[in-house]
Amino acid sequence: MSLQAGQPRQTEQTEQTEQAQQAEQAGHAGQTEQIQQEPQAQQEPLVVLSQVTRAVGLPDHEILQILSGVDLTVYPGDHLSIVGRSGSGKSTLLNILGLLDVPTSGTMTFDGVPVERMNEKRRALARGAAVGFIFQQFNLLAERTALENVMTPLLYARGRQFWQRERLAARMLERVGLGNRLQDRPRKLSGGEQQRVAIARALVRSPRLILADEPTGALDIATGQSVMALLAEVAAESGAALVTITHDPHVAALAQEHFLLQEGRLAPGLAVAA
């Protein structure tokens, strides 16, 4: 009799437990749906140029306008190309992006900080920590080994990067396929190998912005394509933004976004710059 009397209460308790579990599952599902519906947070831009101009005074007191009303936003992980003829202002734009020069007018922010608020020392510190440069002529130290060339930027680093500079440089050279050439000087390396050393040197401090100025200009077509593929791959792995400045539309086409610089004005697009 007591067993029969307890069965309704047990059934009622079971039903309540099942209802609670269903409600909990529905709550979790609602939370999951809400999370899925919420948009991902927008990444903060690394560099923003707004209506940037650059002008210089000439000896005859005339003003040479190099850049006019340039707008550009670079996010972490971007791969951009800027194509322009000789004299179009490419190098000036690169110098501004890399904090080597400042705009004459307009505004620029680097990592959220207005550049006009940075003095020369602060720009130099930000440049050394966050920007890597790759040039057409490699600019390697002729009497230093590949390892020593890549270690050079780490001499200005602090903490772990400074004390472990040799190991970090060797690891980066291995990453670009030169792990067996650590002790070779530039004269013993091919053009493609020298550019790989230059890439390793630019990336060894894990910069957030990589600026490549005509990076394949001194290389043959096949070697140039190989170097650009490596550069894009390593930049993507690190999440750095890569900006390639070139006159070669074939190199520029390897980027995800393309810009054309003509007479100091920047516009989206890709065209042959004769």
Side-chain angles (χ1 to χ4, degrees):
M1 179 69 67
S2 61
L3 179 61
Q4 291 176 352
Q7 282 178 343
R9 289 196 297 270
Q10 184 176 2
T11 302
E12 183 179 354
Q13 291 174 353
T14 302
E15 290 177 351
Q16 291 175 350
T17 302
E18 290 176 351
Q19 290 174 358
Q21 290 175 344
Q22 290 173 359
E24 183 179 1
Q25 291 173 355
H28 285 313
Q31 290 176 358
T32 303
E33 183 178 357
Q34 182 179 3
I35 292 173
Q36 291 175 345
Q37 290 176 352
E38 290 179 355
Q40 292 183 346
Q42 177 68 42
Q43 266 191 321
E44 292 297 324
L46 180 59
V47 181
V48 179
L49 275 62
S50 178
Q51 290 297 294
V52 162
T53 71
R54 187 69 178 100
V56 296
L58 300 178
D60 60 0
H61 305 294
E62 292 291 327
I63 300 297
L64 176 62
Q65 193 72 34
I66 303 174
L67 297 176
S68 300
V70 171
D71 294 318
L72 182 66
T73 301
V74 181
Y75 287 90
D78 278 354
H79 184 184
L80 313 179
S81 67
I82 299 174
V83 178
R85 296 180 176 89
S86 178
S88 63
K90 300 191 306 295
S91 295
T92 300
L93 180 55
L94 178 140
N95 288 342
I96 289 175
L97 289 171
L99 301 176
L100 290 168
D101 200 356
V102 294
T104 301
S105 66
T107 61
M108 173 182 176
T109 61
F110 190 94
D111 202 14
V113 180
V115 171
E116 59 266 25
R117 295 183 186 175
M118 297 182 179
N119 58 26
E120 187 174 349
K121 180 178 180 180
R122 188 173 179 185
R123 290 200 311 272
L125 290 173
R127 182 172 61 248
V131 184
F133 293 90
I134 300 170
F135 301 100
Q136 176 178 345
Q137 298 300 330
F138 316 140
N139 294 333
L140 300 179
L141 300 173
E143 297 306 317
R144 295 288 186 267
T145 65
L147 181 63
E148 290 169 337
N149 268 281
V150 177
M151 285 171 55
T152 301
L154 297 174
L155 295 174
Y156 304 94
R158 297 178 179 179
R160 171 182 171 274
Q161 285 193 332
F162 177 81
W163 295 111
Q164 299 185 12
R165 58 190 181 277
E166 184 172 347
R167 185 173 67 85
L168 293 172
R171 180 187 298 173
M172 185 55 66
L173 282 167
E174 291 173 359
R175 178 62 190 84
V176 300
L178 294 177
N180 61 336
R181 309 301 298 270
L182 301 185
Q183 301 305 322
D184 288 340
R185 288 177 169 77
R187 61 177 173 269
K188 292 186 177 181
L189 303 175
S190 68
E193 288 172 332
Q194 290 185 55
Q195 190 61 296
R196 286 171 182 261
V197 174
I199 291 173
R201 181 184 59 191
L203 301 182
V204 73
R205 288 193 72 175
S206 301
R208 301 181 63 196
L209 174 64
I210 304 167
L211 299 174
D213 186 11
E214 301 285 2
T216 64
L219 306 174
D220 61 73
I221 293 176
T223 303
Q225 290 176 342
S226 174
V227 164
M228 284 306 302
L230 173 65
L231 179 56
E233 180 182 343
V234 176
E237 287 176 358
S238 66
L242 171 60
V243 179
T244 302
I245 295 181
T246 180
H247 70 281
D248 187 343
H250 301 292
V251 172
L254 300 174
Q256 298 166 345
E257 295 184 67
H258 314 100
F259 295 87
L260 183 63
L261 187 62
Q262 290 182 307
E263 299 179 350
R265 297 186 178 278
L266 188 68
L270 180 64
V272 175

